[in-house]
Amino acid sequence: MSRPAFLSAPRHTGRLIAGVLALAAATLCLPAAAADKIKVGVFPSSAALPFYVAVNRGYFKDADLEIEEVPMTSHPLTVQALVSNGIDAAVNLVTLEGANMEARRPNTLKYISLNGQNSQHVIEQFVVKADSPAKSLKDFKNGFKLFSAPGPANIGAARAVLKKVGLVEGKDFTIQEQQIGVHIGALQLGNFDGGYTLEPSATIMVAQKVGKRVETGVISTYLLGNKSASAFAAGAVMSGKFMADKPDVAKRFAAAWARGVKEAQADSSARGYLVQGMKVPPELAATVPLPRIVMVKDMSAADVGDFQKFLDIGTELGVVKEKIDGKTLVRSF
């Protein structure tokens, strides 16, 4: 039998094959490229659901991103963290807080999606103790003691709604900011008669018979003057520095966030992620309402108008320093 042809190859060909094999072996030994790290601020509202969807279903991982969740107890603290580069993004920052910062220091942050709220897509609402005789906002009289979700925007909106109803602060009611995490206990202990709270806190207190809803979607009804309008009171943001320094990473974060937004709204099973993320009792997860979350690129002309109207109200309330064009607050991906 003749010698196989490949064993008869010239010596330089053998050296080439050995070199290729050595290179391949060396390549296999190289450590995998590290994922890009992003610190994300999360405020405890049901509007954070897309974040937990994207984390648990691997959408951030698919985008080669390593996410560090940073819990936030108030929106002013979230803005401070964005300014100081303590976080790169936040998933549900109140828009009036963001607008106020942008009015003072342009390009600090940009919203990539907005949360439309009203009586159909419920987030903000007034509640009272379960045994309270109050049935409407007009019943908040005789020094009715209220708590509010934290931050100037939340308490400013609560005050403005009660004023629209004809109530007078100091005479008919008093109101104090309280962290979301203590709202249920505040009613349970009888420290307050009621309050202005957010989801999922309201759903939990109603289910536990600690409190009851009086009215939802109050920003649209009383401040925008249209019960069906979308009050774009919060949204997902990225810091201006993060987007400028790492545009490709920012683009991948926005794409993963958009996947989370889509499934949070289209797939009812996604509500289950509220159990771990927001400490919602498992039996209540499916009942927690969500806002209508819209990526900036998908906003309609009516959405743009509703957003601008809400920002203008924020200026009238003194929460936003000066009038600001809503188009300068957003970034489309």
Side-chain angles (χ1 to χ4, degrees):
M1 182 180 294
S2 63
R3 183 181 175 85
F6 75 88
L7 291 180
S8 302
R11 293 183 62 187
H12 73 274
T13 304
R15 289 198 298 271
L16 177 60
I17 292 172
V20 169
L21 292 175
L23 178 61
T27 301
L28 290 174
C29 292
L30 287 174
D36 294 293
K37 295 182 179 179
I38 303 181
K39 292 184 178 181
V40 181
V42 181
F43 181 78
S45 156
S46 58
L49 178 59
F51 174 77
Y52 295 109
V53 173
V55 168
N56 287 283
R57 293 187 173 174
Y59 299 155
F60 290 127
K61 188 176 181 181
D62 289 347
D64 203 22
L65 301 173
E66 180 181 335
I67 301 295
E68 179 182 346
E69 180 182 353
V70 182
M72 291 290 164
T73 56
S74 76
H75 299 289
L77 288 176
T78 303
V79 172
Q80 287 180 24
L82 287 165
V83 171
S84 64
N85 302 314
I87 57 176
D88 303 302
V91 301
N92 50 353
L93 175 65
V94 165
T95 50
L96 296 187
E97 306 281 4
N100 189 45
M101 176 51 66
E102 278 289 293
R104 296 170 183 272
R105 186 173 157 174
N107 297 317
T108 296
L109 55 88
K110 299 296 177 189
Y111 286 86
I112 62 173
S113 68
L114 295 172
N115 308 336
Q117 305 170 196
N118 53 36
S119 57
Q120 181 181 0
H121 303 281
V122 177
I123 291 291
E124 91 286 359
Q125 58 202 282
F126 281 98
V127 296
V128 294
K129 292 188 291 187
D131 60 355
S132 173
K135 295 182 179 178
S136 74
L137 299 183
K138 292 182 178 180
D139 294 327
F140 292 4
K141 291 187 174 181
N142 301 318
F144 214 77
K145 195 173 180 181
L146 297 167
F147 57 74
S148 168
N154 278 319
I155 196 168
R159 283 179 168 135
V161 167
L162 295 174
K163 185 178 180 181
K164 282 281 185 180
V165 176
L167 301 178
V168 178
E169 185 171 2
K171 174 189 172 188
D172 297 315
F173 71 93
T174 61
I175 189 165
Q176 296 178 10
E177 292 182 41
Q178 297 288 321
Q179 291 185 12
I180 292 290
V182 306
H183 285 192
I184 296 174
L187 281 188
Q188 202 163 25
L189 294 172
N191 296 332
F192 292 88
D193 299 306
Y196 177 82
T197 193
L198 310 174
E199 290 293 349
S201 179
T203 293
I204 296 172
M205 67 175 65
V206 170
Q208 295 180 348
K209 303 187 186 306
V210 172
K212 60 184 179 182
R213 293 184 174 92
V214 174
E215 188 164 352
T216 64
V218 292
I219 294 176
S220 293
T221 301
Y222 295 101
L223 303 187
L224 297 183
N226 178 358
K227 195 171 184 177
S228 299
S230 290
F232 289 110
V237 298
M238 289 191 276
S239 79
K241 177 174 173 43
F242 172 63
M243 288 187 286
D245 291 350
K246 299 179 179 179
D248 175 63
V249 182
K251 184 178 180 181
R252 282 185 275 134
F253 176 81
W257 173 254
R259 293 179 71 186
V261 166
K262 183 177 180 180
E263 293 208 8
Q265 297 183 116
D267 179 1
S268 59
S269 69
R271 304 287 177 95
Y273 297 120
L274 290 170
V275 175
Q276 183 178 6
M278 291 283 118
K279 312 304 180 191
V280 173
E283 66 275 15
L284 298 181
T287 67
V288 173
L290 292 178
R292 171 180 161 257
I293 306 176
V294 186
M295 295 299 294
V296 167
K297 65 181 177 62
D298 297 325
M299 290 178 71
S300 66
D303 292 335
V304 172
D306 286 343
F307 184 40
Q308 187 61 58
K309 189 169 184 178
F310 182 64
L311 293 175
D312 293 344
I313 289 170
T315 306
E316 294 170 9
L317 294 176
V319 177
V320 182
K321 177 186 176 184
E322 57 189 37
K323 183 176 174 62
I324 187 168
D325 184 346
K327 295 185 181 68
T328 67
L329 264 182
V330 299
R331 179 74 58 85
S332 180
F333 283 90

